[in-house]
C-alpha cells in the first residue's frame, strides 16, 4: 500500500504557510489490513483511521456517490482498486486535490499548483456538487487567502450559484454550517466570506436577514458609505483588524439587522432598528445553533449599540440600566466585548476607520464605578432580599451621577 499527504497539508506547504494538521490517503489497502496494523477506525461506515501512535488521520482512497439529499445522503466506495487520481477528483478545489509522497513528489492531475500560482480557487470536477457545504468552504478559503490575492474562478462561482438556487443548502445541518461560519469569521478578512456568499446567491439562502441589508441606505452624515450592507462588511473587517474574538465578530455581523426591516418611506432613517432587529438576530442565532456566548452578545449588541455610541450623553439612570442589563457585576468580560463591538461599529464607516472612540473608556469607567459599590455596608444596615437589590441600585445610581458630573466637569 502507498501513503500520501493530501489536502491542506500539501496546499499550505506549497504556499509557504505553516502546516497544522496532516491528512493522509492510503491507496491499495483494505479495512482489514489497516486494522491488522493497529489503526483505529474513526466511524462505523467511514473508511478513515487514526494512526496508532501519532493519532493522525489516514483515509482509504475512496470514491463518493451521492445517494440522497443532505449530508446523510452519501455512500462511500473504498477498495484497494481505487486510484489516487480517482480519490483526488472527488475533492473540492484543485488546490486541495494534490498529493505528495514521503519524498515530496507531487501528484497533481488537476493542476492545483498552476491554480495556486495563479491565485485561483477552482473546483476540480462536477463532483463538487456532491457536498453543498463546499459553497461555504470556498467562501471561507476566499476569506483566508484574500490577502494572498486569491479569487474564486467564475465557473466555480457559477456552480456555487446553481447549488444555492437548487435548495441543497437548506439540507445542511446547523452544526456543519456553524463550523464553517465560525472559522470563516475568525479569518483575517471575514468580510470576503460574506461577499463571496452574496456573489453566488448563498447569503440570500443562509442569512437572508444579512443579505437584505445591501441596498438599504443610512444617513450620510453618520455613514459616509451609505449602504448598510457595505457598512456591515466594514465593521466585520474592523473586528478582524482589531483581532476581536468570535463573539464580537458574530455580534458585528448581526448588529444592524433591524435596518433591513425599515419601510422604504422612512429611509435613510432607521428609528428603533435596535428593537426591530432582535427577532431577526434570534432567528439567525437559532438557525445555526450558535454557541450561547455568541447568541447573547449578538442580542445585547443589537439592542444597545446606539446606547454605546451615545454613552457620554446618557442620563445616569440609563447608564445604570445598561450596566444592569449586561450584569457587569458578574460578567465584566461580556461588557468589554460589547464595548469592542460598538467601537468596531463606529470605525466600520468610510473614512472614519481611525476615529477615536472616547465612549469606550467612559463606559469602562462607569462599569468600574458601579462595581465599586460595596454590598457589605448595606447588609450591615439590615437590607436583604429585594430591598437589598433596590438599595444597591440607589447607591450605584449615586456613584454614576457623580461619575458623570466629574467626567463633564
Ligand atoms: N474535502 C473536500 N470536501 C469537503 C471537505 C474536505 O473535498 N467538504 C477534502 C479537501 O481535499 C481538503 C481535505 O478534504 O483539502 C481535508 O479537509 P479539511 O481538513 O476539512 O480541510 P483542509 O483543506 O485541510 O483545510 P483547513 O486548513 O481549513 O483544515
Amino acid at each position: 500500500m502507498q501513503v500520501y499527504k493530501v489536502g491542506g497539508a500539501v496546499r499550505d506547504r506549497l504556499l509557504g504557510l505553516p502546516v497544522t494538521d496532516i491528512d493522509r490517503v492510503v491507496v491499495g489497502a483494505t479495512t482489514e489490513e489497516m486494522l491488522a496494523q493497529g489503526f483505529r477506525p474513526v466511524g462505523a461506515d467511514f473508511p478513515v483511521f487514526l494512526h496508532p501512535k501519532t493519532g493522525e488521520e489516514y483515509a482509504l482512497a475512496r470514491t463518493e456517490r451521492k445517494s440522497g439529499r443532505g449530508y446523510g445522503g452519501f455512500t462511500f466506495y473504498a477498495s484497494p482498486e481505487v486510484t489516487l487520481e480517482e480519490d483526488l477528483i472527488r475533492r473540492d478545489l484543485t488546490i486541495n486535490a494534490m498529493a505528495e509522497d514521503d519524498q515530496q513528489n507531487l501528484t497533481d492531475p488537476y493542476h492545483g499548483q498552476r491554480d495556486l500560482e495563479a491565485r485561483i480557487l477552482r473546483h476540480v470536477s462536477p463532483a463538487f456538487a456532491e457536498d453543498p457545504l463546499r459553497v461555504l468552504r470556498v467562501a471561507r478559503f476566499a476569506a483566508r487567502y484574500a490577502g494572498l490575492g486569491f479569487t474564486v474562478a467564475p465557473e466555480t462561482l457559477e456552480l456555487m450559484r446553481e447549488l444555492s438556487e437548487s435548495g441543497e443548502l437548506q439540507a445542511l445541518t446547523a452544526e456543519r454550517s456553524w463550523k464553517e461560519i465560525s472559522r470563516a469569521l475568525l479569518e483575517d478578512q471575514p468580510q470576503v466570506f460574506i461577499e463571496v456568499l452574496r456573489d453566488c446567491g448563498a447569503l440570500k439562502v443562509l442569512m437572508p436577514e444579512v443579505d437584505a441589508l445591501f441596498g438599504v441606505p443610512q444617513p450620510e452624515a453618520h455613514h459616509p458609505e451609505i449602504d448598510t450592507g457595505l457598512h456591515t462588511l466594514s465593521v466585520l473587517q474592523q473586528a478582524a483588524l482589531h483581532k476581536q474574538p468570535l463573539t464580537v465578530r458574530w455580534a458585528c455581523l448581526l448588529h444592524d439587522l433591524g435596518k433591513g426591516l425599515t419601510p422604504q418611506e422612512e429611509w435613510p432613517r432607521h428609528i428603533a432598528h435596535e428593537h426591530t432587529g432582535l427577532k431577526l438576530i434570534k432567528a439567525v442565532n437559532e438557525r445555526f445553533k450558535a454557541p450561547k456566548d455568541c447568541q447573547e452578545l449578538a442580542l445585547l449588541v443589537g439592542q444597545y449599540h446606539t446606547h454605546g455610541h451615545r454613552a457620554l450623553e446618557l442620563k445616569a439612570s440609563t447608564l445604570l440600566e445598561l450596566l444592569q442589563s449586561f450584569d457587569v457585576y458578574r460578567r465584566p468580560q461580556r461588557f468589554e466585548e460589547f464595548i469592542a463591538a460598538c467601537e468596531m461599529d463606529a470605525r466600520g464607516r468610510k473614512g472614519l476607520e481611525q476615529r477615536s472612540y472616547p465612549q469606550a473608556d467612559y463606559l469602562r469607567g462607569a462599569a468600574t464605578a458601579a462595581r465599586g459599590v460595596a454590598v457589605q455596608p448595606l447588609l450591615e444596615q439590615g437590607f436583604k432580599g429585594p430591598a437589598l437589590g433596590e438599595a444597591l441600585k440607589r447607591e450605584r445610581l449615586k456613584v454614576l451621577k457623580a461619575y458623570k458630573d466629574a467626567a463633564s466637569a
Side-chain angles (χ1 to χ4, degrees), residues 238-255:
Q238 286 299 316
L241 280 171
H242 290 267
K243 306 274 179 238
Q244 298 296 349
L246 179 61
T247 44
V248 173
R249 297 184 191 206
W250 182 241
C252 285
L253 177 64
L254 306 185
H255 78 285

Side-chain angles (χ1 to χ4, degrees), residues 7-8 11 23 91-92 96 131 134 137 140 144 183:
R11 176 196 69 221
D23 295 313
R91 291 174 183 264
D92 53 4
N96 289 341
D131 183 5
R134 289 169 170 174
R137 278 176 62 89
R140 172 166 67 81
R144 182 191 294 177
R183 290 185 73 189

Side-chain angles (χ1 to χ4, degrees), residues 6-9 11-12 20-21 23 57 64 88 90-93 95-98 131 133-134 137 140-141 144-145 176 179-180 183 187:
V6 282
R11 176 196 69 221
D12 287 339
T20 41
D21 52 45
D23 295 313
E57 258 187 44
E64 242 161 28
L88 295 176
R90 66 169 183 80
R91 291 174 183 264
D92 53 4
L93 296 171
I95 62 164
N96 289 341
M98 297 180 275
D131 183 5
L133 189 74
R134 289 169 170 174
R137 278 176 62 89
R140 172 166 67 81
F141 284 118
R144 182 191 294 177
Y145 298 128
R176 289 189 88 208
K179 208 169 154 207
E180 289 302 324
R183 290 185 73 189
E187 294 293 352

